[in-house]
Amino acid sequence: MRADLQLLLYVRGDVLTVTQRDGDSRSWWKDAVVYQIYPRSFNDSTGDGVGDLDGIYEKRTYLDDLGVDAVWLTPVYDSPLADYGYDIRDYRRVLDDYGTMDDWRRVRDGLHERDIRLIMDLVVNHTSDEHEWFQQSRREIDPYSDYYIWREGDDGPPNNWNSMFGGSAWTYDEVRGEYFLHLFDRKQPDLNWENPKVREDIYEMMRWWLEKDIDGFRMDVINLLSKPDGLPDGHPSTVVTGSEHFINGPRLEEYLWEMHDRVLSEYEIVTVGEMPGISVEDARRYVGDDGPLDMVFHFEHMRLDSGDEEDDPWDFRNWELTDLKETFTRWQEGLYPDSWNALYLNNHDQPRQVSRFGDDERYREESAKLLATFLHTLRGTPFIYQGEEIGMTNVPFEGVDDLRDVETIRYVERMLERDDVDNFEDISEAVLYGSRDNARTPMQWSDEDNAGFTTGDPWLTVNPNYPDINVEDARTDLNSIWHYYRQLIDLRADHQVLVDGQYQPLAVDHPQIYAYRRKNDDEQVLVVLNFSSERATFTPAEHIDATDAQLLVANYDVPQSVSLEDGLWQPYEARVYQLVE
Ligand code: TEU
């Protein structure tokens, strides 16, 4: 809906409030909790083993019951599925596997009727090589000849850039007799944003969706759009060679402002930029009250467990709590007060959060709740990834045949070419930990066959732990992770300080406890999280006066009378207190 038609008029008693996007510090998306749906694995309504739009429609009440305010739908567009939808063949069509545009409209309306907004994925750094533009471009048919980044290369690829999925970022196209750039898979050629016609076509496509009354865009790798003149070689020792040139490239800010002025500013929507490799300083230029976009997904906490091996992106090590604190603190402080964080601990590209930052065995329930407490008590907008609300875990895939994700498969292929790797077993530990497929196995609805996701053969194996971890059980058990998420969503709605209060870290050097205070003019809240499987001691009194603190939420059964001064914290214990001044 056009912003100028949508000056929202609320009549509350005799008070008339007018809210508008610009200059409105209380935008809806700041108060929102967003739920991310990976449609292929959410719910299959037809029995073909693949999730679909009708499947999402069937679960609209589920989303409402959980209490989320918006859904981010990862790509449902027509695609040959080389990267499961991040390779778009037709921007204005949904994938046949998922249904029709009418099914999409039903999902939208089903959500809107329940006051749940719909955020669509915008993938405009690249298209599929099966997109009509690329098909014309490789044949040098105008106006599409320069829609992609083509270069001659008699002696091999035009520069040393790597793809984010490993290997050269260039592939030779027999039809055109030139190389094209692809920062992701070879089936995902990068669009040439230097070409004003490309930009105009993209803006038109965005308007087409916005006129369908969607509520926002999550913008895929939006900080990779601009590539520098001359495409200079990258420093060979960077993790992804060339990334210093294509991350936040020279014209990025200009493109984002153009997109803002020509399209986004016309609508009452939210925009979330996914920005790999972004620093907090750079993020401030792109998101916030004075930036072209509203909020940012950064990746710094996703790298805390990365090892030092430059030629192995999945060289993992243990992450340290002090690093986690340092990273979150830098982003919490760095985006205060004018910019806004998109908060997440996992998504469709990352391992399951309870397996990565918690303990997915002995303390699965406790640590899943602790992570949930963390997510909902930071400044920013929490994003819940499907299955997180029941504590879904990483998956014991049995071999390469179980895997579907292009990044994982390319990684396995590359590693097997190395002399020091003989077979899959040599790298299975890293793959089982890091593969994106961990997050993509079907949603576990019940203990029925295939976790109630499908009556057919699921496209990706179901995690064998579904008889114990599923929505049906979680909803029956009032102490479950699911009910805890509901509680946290309500808590955030009731305490404005949790949304936008200032963040102040406490006890920064404590090796087990992550504690912080949130504060605004009216309220103060104390959050204490024991991020370890051992008991811990921590007395807030050393830092703040907690004498009359009121317990708001806890993941252990603690009586209200337990004094904070006892200072003893159980494994993965999380408590949130309201401080009385
Ligand atoms: O992801 C961007 C991205 O940086 C990923 O490559 C991520 O770092 C990696 O997968 C971690 O293992 C976005 C989408 O979310 C992802 O699904 C797509 O594959 C990618 O862009 C290309 O569109």
Side-chain angles (χ1 to χ4, degrees):
M1 198 182 292
R2 301 281 299 254
D4 49 357
L5 301 178
Q6 209 194 7
L7 279 180
L8 295 174
L9 298 176
Y10 293 116
V11 183
R12 289 197 199 105
D14 54 356
V15 187
L16 182 70
T17 322
V18 179
T19 53
Q20 232 181 323
R21 180 190 158 88
D22 286 337
D24 172 28
S25 57
R26 294 259 31 86
S27 313
W28 65 266
W29 44 268
K30 291 192 175 173
D31 295 315
V33 173
V34 184
Y35 187 88
Q36 183 191 350
I37 290 185
Y38 194 71
R40 206 167 182 77
S41 301
F42 192 61
N43 185 32
D44 174 16
S45 71
T46 61
D48 65 354
V50 167
D52 47 49
L53 287 160
D54 262 352
I56 298 173
Y57 183 73
E58 282 174 6
K59 297 293 181 187
R60 63 201 186 285
T61 314
Y62 172 78
L63 299 166
D64 201 18
D65 290 350
L66 184 60
V68 298
D69 307 288
V71 160
W72 153 28
L73 202 54
T74 66
V76 287
Y77 315 102
D78 179 47
S79 160
L81 303 175
D83 191 14
Y84 288 106
Y86 284 95
D87 50 322
I88 298 176
R89 184 164 45 202
D90 187 343
Y91 285 110
R92 290 176 167 84
R93 212 187 133 88
V94 297
L95 183 72
D96 288 344
D97 285 0
Y98 297 159
T100 62
M101 277 304 291
D102 279 341
D103 299 329
W104 176 85
R105 279 187 203 96
R106 282 210 306 148
V107 168
R108 176 200 61 192
D109 296 345
L111 295 174
H112 281 174
E113 278 159 19
R114 285 161 180 76
D115 284 332
I116 300 174
R117 318 239 185 177
L118 178 58
I119 300 171
M120 296 295 282
D121 219 307
L122 180 80
V123 189
V124 294
N125 175 68
H126 44 266
T127 67
S128 162
D129 64 343
E130 296 182 28
H131 193 290
E132 186 202 329
W133 297 341
F134 189 80
Q135 290 303 320
Q136 310 260 6
S137 193
R138 74 197 313 192
R139 294 182 176 83
E140 296 186 69
I141 298 172
D142 280 332
Y144 301 104
S145 285
D146 296 329
Y147 264 46
Y148 295 84
I149 302 175
W150 295 99
R151 290 292 182 276
E152 290 173 354
D154 295 335
D155 313 316
N159 71 19
N160 68 352
W161 292 7
N162 277 149
S163 136
M164 299 287 245
F165 293 160
S168 173
W170 296 93
T171 290
Y172 184 76
D173 182 55
E174 294 288 347
V175 177
R176 176 145 166 168
E178 284 183 321
Y179 283 87
F180 63 89
L181 179 74
H182 54 88
L183 294 183
F184 292 87
D185 190 60
R186 64 180 86 101
K187 280 189 67 68
Q188 294 169 293
D190 278 49
L191 283 163
N192 176 18
W193 272 73
E194 298 269 310
N195 183 344
K197 287 205 193 74
V198 169
R199 306 206 295 275
E200 195 40 63
D201 273 352
I202 294 291
Y203 300 155
E204 218 179 285
M205 175 275 286
M206 292 171 71
R207 285 186 209 108
W208 191 84
W209 279 101
L210 288 162
E211 289 298 326
K212 297 194 168 12
D213 206 12
I214 64 170
D215 304 291
F217 285 121
R218 173 270 188 187
M219 301 181 165
D220 192 60
V221 293
I222 203 69
N223 64 330
L224 306 188
L225 299 184
S226 166
K227 284 84 182 177
D229 283 348
L231 307 176
D233 272 341
H235 199 284
S237 73
T238 39
V239 180
V240 180
T241 308
S243 54
E244 73 274 31
H245 296 301
F246 58 72
I247 288 179
N248 314 330
R251 295 184 65 186
L252 176 65
E253 222 172 322
E254 178 196 329
Y255 296 154
L256 294 180
W257 273 114
E258 185 182 84
M259 186 189 278
H260 173 272
D261 295 346
R262 305 271 306 276
V263 186
L264 306 172
S265 60
E266 301 282 307
Y267 298 86
E268 179 86 15
I269 53 161
V270 64
T271 52
V272 195
E274 188 212 27
M275 301 195 178
I278 190 105
S279 67
V280 68
E281 292 76 24
D282 286 328
R284 278 200 292 260
R285 303 214 306 270
Y286 309 127
V287 299
D289 295 348
D290 300 319
L293 305 183
D294 294 326
M295 49 179 154
V296 57
F297 283 123
H298 73 83
F299 279 65
E300 285 192 13
H301 56 308
M302 295 292 123
R303 297 200 49 81
L304 297 177
D305 51 7
S306 297
D308 308 321
E309 283 233 20
E310 275 155 19
D311 57 350
D312 183 358
W314 286 359
D315 167 36
F316 293 111
R317 61 176 175 134
N318 291 334
W319 59 275
E320 299 291 333
L321 179 62
T322 40
D323 292 342
L324 184 86
K325 292 195 221 179
E326 188 277 326
T327 304
F328 272 93
T329 298
R330 197 153 29 74
W331 280 86
Q332 288 287 302
E333 290 177 345
L335 296 193
Y336 185 83
D338 300 325
S339 300
W340 200 250
N341 279 285
L343 305 165
Y344 75 103
L345 296 169
N346 58 189
N347 58 34
H348 64 295
D349 290 336
Q350 302 294 336
R352 286 286 178 182
Q353 68 188 39
V354 70
S355 301
R356 189 180 202 176
F357 297 111
D359 172 345
D360 62 6
E361 291 178 355
R362 179 156 177 205
Y363 294 112
R364 189 183 66 86
E365 297 252 349
E366 293 83 352
S367 63
K369 290 178 184 172
L370 170 134
L371 295 170
T373 315
F374 184 43
L375 187 77
H376 288 83
T377 57
L378 289 168
R379 181 175 176 274
T381 298
F383 281 71
I384 302 171
Y385 177 65
Q386 68 183 42
E388 173 189 324
E389 74 276 24
I390 53 167
M392 278 176 65
T393 66
N394 273 2
V395 185
F397 294 109
E398 281 172 14
V400 195
D401 293 346
D402 278 356
L403 303 169
R404 296 286 175 275
D405 165 37
V406 60
E407 181 182 52
T408 315
I409 291 167
R410 296 269 186 267
Y411 173 80
V412 174
E413 282 168 3
R414 251 187 0 268
M415 294 306 277
L416 289 178
E417 281 165 15
R418 285 170 41 154
D419 292 341
D420 53 338
V421 178
D422 290 332
N423 51 45
F424 179 70
E425 267 56 64
D426 290 352
I427 50 168
S428 65
E429 199 183 329
V431 172
L432 290 186
Y433 178 80
S435 172
R436 307 198 295 186
D437 281 330
N438 279 306
R440 299 178 181 185
T441 60
M443 179 72 182
Q444 293 164 207
W445 294 107
S446 69
D447 63 3
E448 286 164 34
D449 285 354
N450 296 316
F453 161 73
T454 181
T455 52
D457 283 334
W459 74 281
L460 177 65
T461 183
V462 176
N463 193 324
N465 63 18
Y466 73 86
D468 298 320
I469 303 175
N470 64 65
V471 169
E472 205 173 277
D473 283 359
R475 292 193 67 167
T476 320
D477 172 8
L478 291 179
N479 279 322
S480 69
I481 302 167
W482 194 86
H483 284 284
Y484 192 78
Y485 266 83
R486 284 201 50 177
Q487 218 182 322
L488 284 168
I489 294 170
D490 287 349
L491 190 72
R492 212 169 161 281
D494 291 344
H495 295 271
Q496 193 57 42
V497 65
L498 291 175
V499 174
D500 56 13
Q502 194 173 3
Y503 159 100
Q504 296 170 334
L506 307 169
V508 287
D509 297 323
H510 198 300
Q512 291 165 281
I513 296 283
Y514 191 167
Y516 45 92
R517 174 164 47 173
R518 302 288 310 281
K519 194 176 171 177
N520 65 14
D521 289 343
D522 308 317
E523 229 183 328
Q524 281 193 47
V525 160
L526 169 71
V527 181
V528 183
L529 311 166
N530 177 6
F531 256 94
S532 82
S533 52
E534 310 295 324
R535 287 174 150 203
T537 51
F538 166 73
T539 312
E542 291 163 21
H543 309 272
I544 47 174
D545 177 9
T547 333
D548 294 315
Q550 297 288 316
L551 188 63
L552 293 178
V553 71
N555 66 346
Y556 275 75
D557 200 7
V558 264
Q560 181 62 258
S561 58
V562 163
S563 164
L564 260 169
E565 306 311 318
D566 290 352
L568 188 63
W569 302 84
Q570 300 300 323
Y572 291 106
E573 181 162 8
R575 288 188 225 161
V576 180
Y577 285 94
Q578 186 168 35
L579 300 175
V580 184
E581 292 201 63

